[in-house]
Amino acid sequence: MESVSEGEPAVRRRPKDRKAQIARASADAFGSQGYHAVSMEDIAARVGITPAALYRHSPSKYDLFRDAVLGLGQLLVDATAFADDRDDDDPAATLRMLTAALADATIANRTAGGLYRWEARYLRSEDRVLLAEQLRVVNHRLQRPLLQLRPKLTSSQRWTLSSAALSVIGSITDHSNQLAAGEIRLVLISMAADVLAAELPASRRRTAPRPEPINVGPEAGMYEHVLYESVRLFYENGYRNTSMEDIASAVGIQASGLYRSFPGKADILALAYRRAADRHSSDTADALSRNSDPEEALDDVVDEYLGRVMEWPDLPYVYYTERHNVPEADLRVLETIESSTMDAWARLVTAARPEMKIGAARYAVGAAFALTVDFRRLFARDSGPESVATIRRLMEVTLLGRPVKRRR
């Protein structure tokens, strides 16, 4: 055996798993910081190599980003591939195995798992097509046994339920509530099963009108107009691709006038977040003050929350996608408000559903919120009253395992 002479430097060999290390570091970086905030230097530092060495593995940040997003999509495809080879004489077992496999894959990649949900808009068109195909494959695998179990479901209903199940499972990437991995797995599988078994509201010719989206103009005053136009631009273009000049132009003022009132766009983003968090907290407190029965209170808080989402549908998406751009001091306050409000919802869930522990209830609440954030993806072709009734039913089933018992 050759030995290294004393004083002779040891030869450093590239680890065999360097490619996997880079892929993991890229996914974690993009997942936690967002595409635009991450640099090649950031990823290289996470791996423990120089930027020059990283460039030898990948020619650009975009290539790493694309590989990270499509790699996560492929994980879901691979995790569910077994279903293609099963003789479906037991579709219920196949469906359970599929949701368990998806839950396991998501738990194992929780830090980066939200990447395909929140940052995929930055993919180039050809890569978005590839991601859409990956998700189509996973949805079809869920829908095959679902169709055997529920043959009367329409194609649209099957897509709604399979997409909602994926939303519920993926919701753990939206928050950092702590729970043992085994307990997370059980609650995700249970919620996905409840959603897939949900009886969707029957279509009616006459449905209750949904709240109309707000349209804030200059007559509301500059403050409200700036918040509204900023969120719209952040939703359409992304925070990083929106400048103070863009916001000023949308509001109809000079950029210098905007800077006199707001130091920067991060401050505007923080104000929009604080507005949303405070309203959610206040609506929850109001509903609790009106109702002593926990299920009636939960009925009210869901109504209030959905009403806010429908009034300003851009805001929930921006709220989840751009939070890493909120200044740290503002983010700490927001997290306090969010945690308090989620706990209030979770206590209502455990009061109405005593068999559920508070930790699991927090995950159910996070899953219910995720359904509303994914509303436009779930109902891209129809955002009318029937779709609102459907999302409401899915929220109820996620929270309680069944629809809310309506008051007479």
Side-chain angles (χ1 to χ4, degrees):
M1 178 185 295
E2 291 184 9
S3 60
V4 178
S5 302
E6 189 174 347
E8 182 180 336
V11 177
R12 293 186 64 186
R13 292 182 173 85
R14 181 184 301 170
K16 293 181 179 179
D17 65 344
R18 176 70 82 209
K19 186 175 181 180
Q21 286 180 354
I22 292 172
R24 182 71 188 195
S26 300
D28 286 344
F30 291 128
S32 61
Q33 297 173 246
Y35 173 63
H36 287 292
V38 175
S39 66
M40 293 289 274
E41 289 75 15
D42 294 331
I43 297 170
R46 284 173 179 255
V47 181
I49 59 177
T50 65
L54 181 59
Y55 276 109
R56 287 197 291 271
H57 284 274
S58 187
S60 71
K61 181 177 83 166
Y62 179 79
D63 290 277
L64 290 173
F65 173 68
R66 178 200 60 217
D67 291 347
V69 176
L70 296 181
L72 288 167
Q74 191 61 42
L75 278 175
L76 302 182
V77 172
D78 294 344
T80 56
F82 69 88
D84 292 345
D85 300 322
R86 277 181 65 85
D87 293 327
D88 248 346
D89 53 353
D90 190 352
T94 300
L95 205 53
R96 286 194 299 271
M97 292 169 66
L98 283 167
T99 54
L102 289 166
D104 289 339
T106 306
I107 292 167
N109 295 276
R110 185 174 183 178
T111 303
L115 186 57
Y116 79 90
R117 297 179 69 202
W118 305 128
E119 298 292 302
R121 57 183 167 163
Y122 297 119
L123 288 173
R124 293 168 186 162
S125 57
E126 63 271 20
D127 294 324
R128 283 200 299 271
V129 170
L130 292 174
L131 177 62
E133 175 59 21
Q134 291 173 330
L135 297 177
R136 186 192 67 81
V137 168
V138 176
N139 273 284
H140 278 174
R141 286 172 177 164
L142 286 168
Q143 290 171 27
R144 281 199 297 268
L146 183 62
L147 180 59
Q148 286 185 264
L149 294 167
R150 305 183 63 184
K152 293 184 179 180
L153 289 174
T154 66
S155 174
S156 176
Q157 288 172 328
R158 291 196 303 274
W159 272 99
T160 295
L161 293 176
S162 65
S163 299
L166 289 176
S167 181
V168 163
I169 292 171
S171 66
I172 65 168
T173 66
D174 302 341
H175 60 83
S176 57
N177 288 313
Q178 296 301 305
L179 202 63
E183 292 180 274
I184 297 174
R185 185 177 192 270
L186 289 175
V187 75
L188 290 182
I189 293 171
S190 176
M191 289 190 298
D194 289 339
V195 163
L196 290 167
E199 293 293 337
L200 299 179
S203 177
R204 296 181 177 88
R205 289 185 178 179
R206 292 184 179 181
T207 55
R210 54 162 278 188
E212 288 298 318
I214 60 173
N215 185 12
V216 178
E219 66 278 359
M222 189 185 74
Y223 179 75
E224 295 294 336
H225 198 194
V226 166
L227 287 186
Y228 175 79
E229 291 295 343
S230 298
V231 169
R232 181 183 64 80
L233 290 169
F234 295 152
Y235 175 80
E236 292 177 357
N237 305 324
Y239 174 84
R240 293 278 174 167
N241 291 334
T242 299
S243 67
M244 287 287 276
E245 287 72 20
D246 294 330
I247 296 169
S249 176
V251 176
I253 62 175
Q254 295 294 318
S256 57
L258 186 62
Y259 276 110
R260 280 196 294 271
S261 301
F262 303 94
K265 65 178 180 177
D267 303 278
I268 298 174
L269 182 68
L271 286 169
Y273 272 56
R274 182 63 182 267
R275 164 69 61 82
D278 277 339
R279 282 183 168 176
H280 187 192
S281 177
S282 177
D283 288 344
T284 301
D286 288 347
L288 287 167
S289 70
R290 293 192 301 267
N291 298 282
S292 57
D293 180 88
E295 191 155 337
E296 291 180 2
L298 196 62
D299 192 23
D300 271 5
V301 296
V302 169
D303 263 346
E304 295 286 353
Y305 186 69
L306 264 181
R308 296 289 189 190
V309 170
M310 294 303 108
E311 285 177 352
W312 204 356
D314 294 352
L315 184 55
Y317 186 84
V318 171
Y319 196 91
Y320 278 86
T321 57
E322 306 292 0
R323 64 187 301 115
H324 45 267
N325 293 307
V326 176
E328 185 62 33
D330 296 295
L331 193 58
R332 285 197 298 271
V333 175
L334 284 168
E335 287 172 347
T336 299
I337 300 170
E338 291 167 346
S339 177
S340 174
T341 307
M342 179 173 274
D343 278 349
W345 278 58
R347 286 192 296 272
L348 284 176
V349 171
T350 57
R353 193 178 184 180
E355 76 280 4
M356 181 174 273
K357 295 180 180 178
I358 191 70
R362 291 190 185 97
Y363 276 73
V365 173
F369 293 165
L371 287 168
T372 66
V373 177
D374 287 340
F375 179 83
R376 283 179 164 170
R377 181 174 60 82
L378 292 169
F379 300 104
R381 297 178 183 174
D382 174 22
S383 59
E386 291 181 11
S387 296
V388 177
T390 296
I391 207 76
R392 193 189 201 293
R393 173 63 56 83
L394 292 171
M395 289 180 72
E396 293 170 0
V397 168
T398 298
L399 292 166
L400 297 176
R402 56 171 173 76
V404 166
K405 294 174 183 175
R406 296 280 178 253
R407 288 164 280 189
R408 297 182 181 226

